[in-house]
């Protein structure tokens, strides 16, 4: 994050009902590849509180298990965990965690039929959204040196190759679902990157949507476990990368998004071979443009919100 967007002045006072609605909005957009839940969290003013609280929860869990130092007794571990738990903004975390699944499962019921019945048109809309979302990591990266461009282009080429491989399974195994969910949940830490987009890249978007639509508890249980593992293991690592290697992390992220656009080309076979545009080209172009415009609007709002705390911080 840039320094201005992480300033304390960026945080807004919020209410419990409002936070539940914010959580529902994040849940809704997490079903749409190309619209980042992290970006929406930024726009509605709770992004920094969510990340800080998630980090504090992970630290509390680790302190409870291992303690601040090796060999700590149960009382010391408990005291350390309580200290971290005091850093959690429960007024935001609890209603958001209630609102997110409500919004997510509601959106799935509406979106899943469109994906099944109109795959080309939905991919076109998603393509426009992801293309516009490239502006987010590039803007957050700041000034790019040649090494950053090289890293980003290498990430794009590698991602393009990986998503070009034909799918090998129709029913994903648990050992595929688990790490995919762990990586997808980390997208909340990175505005511009959608968890659904990552699932689409892994070939798990439609199976996950179907499981959520049909309330497949076996699949959803494995997915929830993967999300928990991702919060514990990946979120801390991404937080460290953003704090210590911010620019190259954003450049690589932009490269991954660029390369993975291949998966959203509207016209392709089940084996991921690309086809030329079909007779529905005008409708696809219109939906792609509409998706592009929606994300551009979110990016503009985000940029203006980032400038406001910067001005306030400079005035203090």
């Amino acid at each position: 994050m840039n320094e201005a967007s992480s300033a304390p002045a960026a945080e807004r006072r919020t209410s419990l009902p409002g936070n539940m609605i914010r959580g529902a909005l994040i849940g809704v957009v997490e079903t749409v590849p190309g619209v980042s839940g992290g970006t929406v969290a930024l726009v509605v003013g709770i992004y920094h509180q969510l990340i800080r609280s998630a980090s504090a929860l992970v630290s509390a869990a680790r302190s409870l298990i291992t303690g601040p130092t090796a060999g700590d007794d149960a009382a010391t571990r408990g005291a350390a965990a309580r200290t971290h738990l005091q850093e959690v903004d429960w007024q935001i975390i609890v209603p958001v965690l209630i609102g997110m699944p409500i919004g997510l499962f509601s959106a799935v019921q509406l979106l899943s039929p469109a994906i099944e019945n109109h795959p080309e048109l939905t991919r076109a809309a998603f393509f426009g959204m992801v293309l516009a979302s490239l502006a987010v990591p590039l803007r957050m990266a700041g000034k790019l040196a040649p090494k950053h461009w090289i890293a980003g282009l290498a990430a794009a080429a590698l991602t393009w190759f990986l998503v070009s491989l034909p799918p090998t399974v129709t029913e994903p195994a648990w050992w595929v679902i688990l790490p995919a969910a762990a990586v997808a949940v980390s997208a909340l830490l990175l505005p511009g990157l959608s968890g659904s987009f990552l699932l689409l890249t892994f070939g798990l978007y439609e199976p996950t949507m179907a499981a959520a639509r049909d309330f497949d508890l076996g699949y959803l249980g494995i997915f929830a476990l993967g999300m928990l593992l991702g919060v514990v293991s990946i979120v801390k690592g991404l937080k460290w990368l953003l704090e210590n290697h911010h620019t190259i992390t954003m450049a690589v992220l932009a490269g991954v998004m660029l390369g993975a656009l291949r998966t959203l080309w509207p016209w392709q076979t089940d084996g991921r071979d690309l086809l030329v545009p079909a007779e529905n080209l005008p409708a696809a172009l219109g939906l792609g443009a509409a998706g592009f415009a929606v994300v551009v609007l979110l990016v503009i709002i985000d940029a203006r919100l980032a400038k406001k705390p910067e001005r306030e911080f400079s005035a203090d």
Side-chain angles (χ1 to χ4, degrees), residues 47 51 54-55 58-59 62 176-190 193 195 198-199 202 223-243 249 253:
Y47 175 75
I51 299 306
S55 179
V58 172
S59 297
R62 290 183 176 176
V176 175
I177 301 170
L178 207 66
V183 174
V185 73
S186 66
L188 280 173
L189 185 63
L190 298 169
L193 185 62
L198 291 176
L199 291 177
F202 299 144
F223 196 87
L225 179 59
M227 291 177 64
L228 179 61
L229 292 175
V231 169
V232 172
S233 59
I234 296 178
V235 167
K236 280 285 190 179
L238 284 174
K239 187 172 183 290
W240 180 85
L241 282 173
L242 288 172
E243 291 174 350
T249 299
L253 171 60

Side-chain angles (χ1 to χ4, degrees), residues 103-140:
L104 189 148
F105 283 104
S106 299
V108 163
Q109 302 302 321
L110 298 174
L111 190 58
S112 187
I115 295 171
E116 292 180 359
N117 298 325
H118 307 284
E120 294 176 351
L121 296 181
T122 52
R123 279 199 296 266
F126 295 160
F127 189 99
M129 291 177 176
V130 174
L131 186 62
S133 295
L134 282 169
V136 178
L138 290 175
R139 181 171 62 84
M140 295 177 68

Side-chain angles (χ1 to χ4, degrees), residues 8-196:
E11 298 182 3
R12 313 173 195 168
R13 299 181 66 179
T14 57
S15 65
L16 291 175
N19 289 333
M20 189 176 296
I21 294 173
R22 291 177 175 89
L25 288 173
I26 294 171
V28 167
V29 301
E30 276 302 313
T31 66
V32 181
V35 183
S36 165
T39 298
V40 173
L42 266 175
V43 170
V44 299
I46 59 173
Y47 175 75
H48 301 286
Q49 297 96 313
L50 288 177
I51 299 306
R52 185 175 60 245
S53 296
S55 179
L57 284 171
V58 172
S59 297
R62 290 183 176 176
S63 296
L64 192 61
I65 296 171
T66 63
T69 58
D72 285 335
D73 56 22
T76 302
R77 294 198 302 269
R82 286 192 295 273
T83 299
H84 289 297
L85 289 175
Q86 291 174 358
E87 301 172 7
V88 178
D89 196 333
W90 297 106
Q91 183 175 349
I92 289 179
I93 290 294
V94 172
V96 164
L97 290 178
I98 294 173
M100 280 184 65
I102 295 174
L104 189 148
F105 283 104
S106 299
V108 163
Q109 302 302 321
L110 298 174
L111 190 58
S112 187
I115 295 171
E116 292 180 359
N117 298 325
H118 307 284
E120 294 176 351
L121 296 181
T122 52
R123 279 199 296 266
F126 295 160
F127 189 99
M129 291 177 176
V130 174
L131 186 62
S133 295
L134 282 169
V136 178
L138 290 175
R139 181 171 62 84
M140 295 177 68
K143 186 176 181 180
L144 297 177
K147 65 178 182 180
H148 301 134
W149 286 106
I150 293 172
L153 292 174
L158 178 60
T159 304
W160 180 280
F161 168 74
L162 292 176
V163 301
S164 301
L165 299 175
T168 56
V169 294
T170 55
E171 294 294 332
W174 68 267
W175 47 267
V176 175
I177 301 170
L178 207 66
V183 174
V185 73
S186 66
L188 280 173
L189 185 63
L190 298 169
L193 185 62
S194 163
S196 291

